[in-house]
Amino acid sequence: MHRTITALCLILSFALPGCSGSSSSSGSQSDSAATGGAEPKWTIAMSQCNLGEPWRAQMNADLKRAAAEHPEIRLVFNNAENDTLKQRSQIEEFVSAGVDLIMVCPKEAQPLTEPIAKAYRSGIPVVVIDRQVLGDDFTTFIGADNVAIGREAGRWIASHAKPDARIVELKGLMTSVPAQDRHAGFREGLGDVGEVIFEADMQWLEPQARKEMDSALARFDEIDVVFAHNDPGAHGAYLAAKAAGRAEGMLFVGIDALSHEGIAYVNQGLLDATFEYPTGGTVAIETALKILAGEEVPKNIELGTSTHAQAKYEDE
Amino acid sequence: MPDQSPHKLVATAKAVLLSPVGRAVLALGLVLLVGVAFNADGAFFKTGTHRDALRQMSVYGMLACGMTLVITTGGIDLAVGSVLALVAVCSATMAIHWEWSAWLVVPLSVLIGAACGLGSGVVTAWLRVQPFIATLAMMVFARGLAKQLAGGMKVSTAVPQADGTYQYVDVPSLYRAIDARLLGGHVSTVTLVFLACAAVAYLVLSRHRLGREFYAIGGNAEAARLSGVPVVRSTVWAYVLSGALAGVAGLCQASQEQQGDPEAGAGYELTAIAMVVIGGTSLMGGRGGMGLTLLGVLTIGYLDKILSINAVPSATRLMLTGVIIVAAVLTQKRGRY
């Protein structure tokens, strides 16, 4: 009896982390965009690598919204729950189900290149979003460029801060490619304006960012600009500076511009600016429609960023 | 001091240094010395640095208080980090979205934490599942529930409306009060909350019948049972208290972030365990105390702060922390087993 319960708990504890998504635990949810009785002509299957990150939930929401305007397509969402092999079998299932188009946000490049290539070679168009795969056996790649976004943020700070500004950079997890790219782009865009006096890895986490900012505040009496690799980081830094009574006159800049995070913080007057890391949801649907209509699409579609700054910067 | 021979003084000093408290004080002293040596251009000597260090270790400290009670019974509570997140999400929903009064939010937050602890405790003590497994199950369950309730995003002051737009509300006064400073700005409220939690844990462990039963169960559960200790009931109490303290920690976490983050507190349980162990409380149960845990919290908390003000790269930080934990535990261990 005792042993059975132990075994049961073991099974439970390992089955549960899988359900990390915010949506149904089955990991699959169908969203028929059909309206007014029109039968959808095409089925698009989407495999999202995980829904634990708010940004990915936002991408699915954007896709859903864009697809809702086109009754001729039916969009089916799948959540790979951060499991490479699960994502691989999802792509294989799409092929055997004979869907008309596959969208995939690969969890990682190497192990998913082969399944995606197989699907593509079987004649199903594949739209790869956000993360690259190797080779070129896919129809098109849609993604944003973190170097370009970091550069844009650097330039904005260079033009809004004083030339000898003392800057704190709160970096994302530096073993991750987005953090490395944002860092490189930022330094490039900043040019020779200001001096980065304190940099720390806050691992994309808000409490960590607040802690590091506390240290920066303790160590330096003058800080003019805080640049964080994501908006929660910039928000944590703002809270630290505010608690120290030093937020006034300090610039706070973040990246991502999710509507309930970065944009909300800018609208509430906490952050000065945030730079959108676009999900590409709308572009993906538009591109998919072109492919289904038989049009040529570019192999690589780069998404631009947009700046969301407080209203006071608009006339400049 | 009445005239003591040097020999006697040395013997006394030796006895103090070899006691668990002496060793824990020694470990803390060594970490503080590192801070004096690497003071980051004098940042270590500013009062604000210490106030912030004490604030930052407070949430971990609250978890460590509960962990001490559970570890004394010979158990372990891996669920505290997830329970923290669950309570953070629930309290943010109640305080920010529903604008409930603090008189409701605070007790309900503690109750939610305690309910999770009750779950772990019943599965451990009554259904006799090993604490490691039972609390591991609660850890993933509470994390899942937190994500479910939060709907995959943070519960913040940007409240989603039915039409997809956001309405911005003020940070609740409860959150502002917990994140404020008292005593002329020299002490953060969360630090005082932590000290209150530590006092409660101390009273339970050292001044209450329940504490004596925890030690008895941790020492030898069978012997405790035979001498009339209600083993099941007392063990459940240890987990309930640990859950309640994790609830307090969740409320403090949400107040400091001004939001309920379903991902908060991941890995905090391991820091809490490290704090308890570095203080000198035995993972085997039956030995240790709250005073030791307090020293452990200060040691790890200050180590973290010193590495942070010196802007030590994170890879080096992790390695140094690992080395120092082993070193501190080794000095604790010598001659005791």
Side-chain angles (χ1 to χ4, degrees):
Chain A
M1 179 63 190
H2 182 178
R3 212 174 264 178
T4 322
I5 293 171
T6 312
L8 201 73
C9 282
L10 254 177
I11 292 163
L12 263 180
S13 63
F14 289 104
L16 275 167
C19 325
S20 54
S22 57
S23 71
S24 63
S25 55
S26 69
S28 166
Q29 121 196 46
S30 162
D31 168 44
S32 174
T35 45
E39 194 61 27
K41 201 164 138 200
W42 289 305
T43 300
I44 298 176
M46 160 76 185
S47 174
Q48 179 66 270
C49 58
N50 77 75
L51 279 175
E53 302 163 47
W55 184 79
R56 297 193 179 278
Q58 179 78 45
M59 186 199 292
N60 276 18
D62 288 348
L63 282 167
K64 195 172 175 177
R65 195 178 324 110
E69 289 167 19
H70 300 278
E72 69 271 31
I73 56 176
R74 193 171 78 96
L75 188 55
V76 183
F77 289 101
N78 281 260
N79 177 6
E81 293 162 358
N82 245 339
D83 182 336
T84 304
L85 292 182
K86 192 171 209 163
Q87 189 157 42
R88 183 189 166 141
S89 54
Q90 281 176 356
I91 294 165
E92 287 161 359
E93 283 158 21
F94 296 161
V95 176
S96 41
V99 300
D100 299 294
L101 187 136
I102 294 172
M103 286 185 185
V104 56
C105 249
K107 178 179 178 295
E108 49 198 330
Q110 181 73 55
L112 288 163
T113 297
E114 193 55 36
I116 287 175
K118 269 188 191 150
Y120 177 71
R121 283 193 231 115
S122 77
I124 302 175
V126 182
V127 176
V128 180
I129 307 174
D130 182 46
R131 291 184 188 164
Q132 295 268 17
V133 288
L134 312 175
D136 51 17
D137 277 336
F138 53 88
T139 313
T140 183
F141 169 76
I142 299 174
D145 180 356
N146 274 307
V147 178
I149 295 170
R151 195 186 300 128
E152 206 56 43
R155 282 190 190 141
W156 191 90
I157 288 171
S159 62
H160 288 87
K162 54 182 186 182
D164 60 343
R166 295 157 68 86
I167 301 167
V168 168
E169 184 182 3
L170 297 172
K171 302 183 286 189
L173 186 67
M174 279 310 276
T175 44
S176 72
V177 178
Q180 292 158 4
D181 286 352
R182 286 174 187 189
H183 171 73
F186 170 66
R187 293 302 173 96
E188 191 190 322
L190 199 58
D192 51 8
V193 174
E195 181 199 356
V196 177
I197 51 170
F198 189 90
E199 54 182 295
D201 191 335
M202 52 86 177
Q203 298 156 21
W204 308 116
L205 300 172
E206 169 151 358
Q208 198 75 16
R210 181 168 176 176
K211 193 173 87 183
E212 297 301 338
M213 186 64 190
D214 273 333
S215 296
L217 289 163
R219 192 158 171 189
F220 299 101
D221 292 327
E222 260 180 66
I223 296 170
D224 303 302
V225 179
V226 180
F227 170 59
H229 287 190
N230 67 356
D231 292 324
H235 184 239
Y238 167 81
L239 291 178
K242 184 145 189 289
R246 288 168 62 182
E248 210 54 41
M250 217 182 265
L251 285 185
F252 295 90
V253 178
I255 289 183
D256 282 346
L258 287 186
S259 48
H260 67 282
E261 279 182 4
I263 294 195
Y265 298 147
V266 169
N267 289 343
Q268 289 170 303
L270 315 181
L271 302 192
D272 291 274
T274 176
F275 295 81
E276 190 188 3
Y277 183 70
T279 64
T282 317
V283 177
I285 292 293
E286 282 165 6
T287 311
L289 284 167
K290 279 186 195 162
I291 295 169
L292 290 169
E295 288 176 42
E296 275 291 306
V297 294
K299 193 85 192 174
N300 194 347
I301 300 174
E302 195 190 308
L303 301 164
T305 181
S306 55
T307 311
H308 300 267
Q310 278 187 34
K312 62 183 177 191
Y313 299 110
E314 258 169 28
D315 355 315
E316 292 168 24
Chain B
M1 196 172 283
D3 62 334
Q4 268 182 327
S5 67
H7 182 75
K8 231 177 177 179
L9 268 176
V10 169
T12 317
K14 230 179 183 173
V16 168
L17 276 181
L18 286 180
S19 71
V21 176
R23 285 176 174 157
V25 170
L26 191 69
L28 174 60
L30 285 175
V31 166
L32 290 177
L33 270 182
V34 172
V36 172
F38 300 94
N39 56 42
D41 309 327
F44 188 71
F45 303 122
K46 292 182 186 165
T47 52
T49 306
H50 296 274
R51 178 195 62 215
D52 292 340
L54 290 172
R55 195 198 76 231
Q56 283 155 15
M57 67 182 84
S58 292
V59 165
Y60 294 107
M62 293 169 205
L63 301 181
C65 292
M67 194 68 76
T68 308
L69 303 179
V70 171
I71 286 180
T72 308
T73 69
I76 194 95
D77 192 351
L78 298 178
V80 289
S82 298
V83 172
L84 178 152
L86 175 63
V87 173
V89 165
C90 291
S91 92
T93 310
M94 292 186 285
I96 302 177
H97 286 197
W98 299 344
E99 295 175 355
W100 285 8
S101 118
W103 300 109
L104 271 172
V105 176
V106 175
L108 281 175
S109 298
V110 178
L111 267 180
I112 292 167
C116 292
L118 181 66
S120 300
V122 165
V123 174
T124 301
W126 195 53
L127 299 176
R128 301 174 66 85
V129 174
Q130 284 134 329
F132 188 94
I133 302 295
T135 59
L136 181 66
M138 180 53 76
M139 170 172 125
V140 287
F141 178 80
R143 179 72 63 191
L145 187 57
K147 288 183 184 195
Q148 182 77 43
L149 294 177
M153 52 194 239
K154 295 169 185 171
V155 181
S156 69
T157 52
V159 184
Q161 303 295 299
D163 58 355
T165 59
Y166 292 90
Q167 190 203 337
Y168 305 118
V169 296
D170 281 337
V171 177
S173 52
L174 168 68
Y175 280 14
R176 289 209 186 281
I178 294 177
D179 196 25
R181 291 173 187 162
L182 299 171
L183 309 175
H186 292 304
V187 181
S188 303
T189 314
V190 277
T191 308
L192 297 179
V193 174
F194 162 52
L195 290 177
C197 291
V200 168
Y202 170 79
L203 289 175
V204 168
L205 205 51
S206 307
R207 292 278 177 273
H208 195 270
R209 180 181 51 81
L210 211 47
R212 285 195 298 278
E213 291 171 359
F214 290 169
Y215 283 111
I217 294 166
N220 186 333
E222 189 54 26
R225 194 183 64 80
L226 291 173
S227 46
V229 172
V231 173
V232 171
R233 203 176 62 198
S234 300
T235 310
V236 170
W237 265 112
Y239 288 92
V240 168
L241 287 169
S242 174
L245 289 166
V248 177
L251 186 61
C252 291
Q253 179 86 7
S255 303
Q256 291 182 75
E257 290 191 43
Q258 302 187 347
Q259 66 189 7
D261 183 355
E263 307 287 345
Y268 282 24
E269 60 280 346
L270 298 179
T271 307
I273 293 170
M275 284 168 162
V276 174
V277 171
I278 224 172
T281 294
S282 165
L283 270 183
M284 313 294 285
R287 255 193 308 225
M290 260 319 294
L292 294 175
T293 295
L294 218 51
L295 290 167
V297 170
L298 286 168
T299 307
I300 299 241
Y302 266 109
L303 176 63
D304 198 30
K305 188 72 196 170
I306 291 160
L307 294 171
S308 171
I309 55 173
N310 284 293
V312 175
S314 57
T316 321
R317 263 187 224 194
L318 292 173
M319 291 189 292
L320 275 176
T321 311
V323 169
I324 289 171
I325 289 176
V326 168
V329 172
L330 279 182
T331 60
Q332 287 294 347
K333 201 177 165 189
R334 192 158 16 107
R336 299 187 61 212
Y337 291 98

